[in-house]
Amino acid sequence: MNPKPHTAGQAALQIVKKLRSDGHVALLAGGCVRDMLLDRTPKDYDVATDAKPARVQELFPRARLVGAKFGVVLVRKSGFDTEVATFRSDGPYSDGRHPDAVTFGTEIEDARRRDFTINGLFFDPLDDRVIDYVGGRDDLAAAVIRTIGDPDHRFSEDHLRMLRAVRLAARLGFTIEPQTANAIERLAPNLKVISAERIWRELEEILTAPTRAAGWSLLVQLGLCDHLATGLLVRESLLAPTLRPDSAIQRRLTALPASPIDPALALAVLLCDGGVAAAKDVCRALRLSNRLTQAVVWLVGSLPMLRTESDLELADLKILMAEPNWPQLVELLRVDLIATAAYPAPYEYVCRRAEAIDSADVAPPPLLSGDDLAAMGMPPGPRFGEILNTIYRAQLNTKITTRDEANIMAGELMMS
Ligand code: ATP
Ligand code: MG
């Protein structure tokens, strides 16, 4: 079970070797061990050691202390960053997210401070040996997510673990052990105290992954989605009538492809029934970037234009197609139609029309510019923009195709 050459895993192995030759205990720890045992490629590798951060920094001059409080040092090797953390036990938690203090401790304490049994394993890559103080191997074999120790206690320490449980269960196709699940159901309202940024980071992973339908279903079953983004996701019955396993949201999520998707599309799939204003509220509550918010709002706002085999003007279609998120919009349309059993007619109609448009004709340079209009004696003002827009729409609609035609049209519009 050794990491492949030229990988993040090899870099971690080199770090382990160096710490060991310096007389320290050093092991691979946590998620990477879980993933290696499951034959999955770990996202990142963590090393746990009895060496204190200062010693780690001496041994690896290019290392950076990233979590002084937690004794975490980031070591850069062969182009990969590996977190090297000193064995520790976490003190009491009073903010529902972080320990007030940590003390350096033993290997066993370091295993027990971790969240779930499957995340509490160590691997000694030099002896090719898994070290299990928490029953993680049995739970891996049984495909079960279980907290290390009392679930009420562990979720009360750090409420974010509730979302981590869902993310892991969905991603790995595991079930959440009944006592662990039961604690989540009871403690779900505590999500409120977690920052929107942290919630979004977990939610984004849940929703963009191919296993998003299973993830959402768990969020619903465990009552967590009521408390995401301080309840905004369900406020004003935005999602409330759809919080059933057979909801439109669930059907849309199920209809998405089994590959990662764009976060804007993921959110639009959740929010497209609620309208633009509500979508904006949710994006704001989740403190998303302006760029992501705009993309979500555009998707939610544009979908109704395509939902029916409507008389959408060619110009409107081209304006939609010119947006960078057009492929996402087409996908949103597809899954929305599947969810409402209206597939495939409107989808095929839109695709047929879009395919018939040459890419150069989607957003052609305007036949007439603002300068041209000003040169014709058009004074500045609201009418100026309206006329330019009308002429450009006529161009997109192929009503006019030459500059002469555009000039004539401008003249007529200025007179009227
Ligand atoms: P991923 O594959 O998404 O990286 P992971 O389990 O490796 O999942 P990380 O955030 O990389 O998650 O954390 C590495 C390890 O640190 C975890 O496997 C777990 O042992 C421990 N850990 C992370 N977050 C927590 C937490 N909130 N509470 C307790 N232990 C945690
Ligand atoms: Mg990890």
Side-chain angles (χ1 to χ4, degrees), residues 30-32 34-35 42-46:
C32 64
R34 172 200 73 214
D35 289 340
K43 241 174 37 192
D44 39 41
Y45 288 79
D46 298 314

Side-chain angles (χ1 to χ4, degrees), residues 19 24-27 47-52 56 84-88 105:
L19 283 160
H24 288 289
V25 181
L27 302 164
V47 170
T49 178
D50 65 352
K52 299 289 185 312
V56 176
V84 180
T86 308
F87 294 139
R88 67 177 202 250

Side-chain angles (χ1 to χ4, degrees), residues 364-369 372 391-392 394-395 400-403 405-407:
L367 292 168
L368 205 83
S369 71
D372 298 325
I391 295 170
Y392 191 58
Q395 179 185 348
I400 56 170
T401 54
T402 65
R403 211 173 134 75
E405 287 171 330
N407 277 325

Side-chain angles (χ1 to χ4, degrees), residues 274-282:
V276 164
K280 218 180 263 175
D281 281 351
V282 171

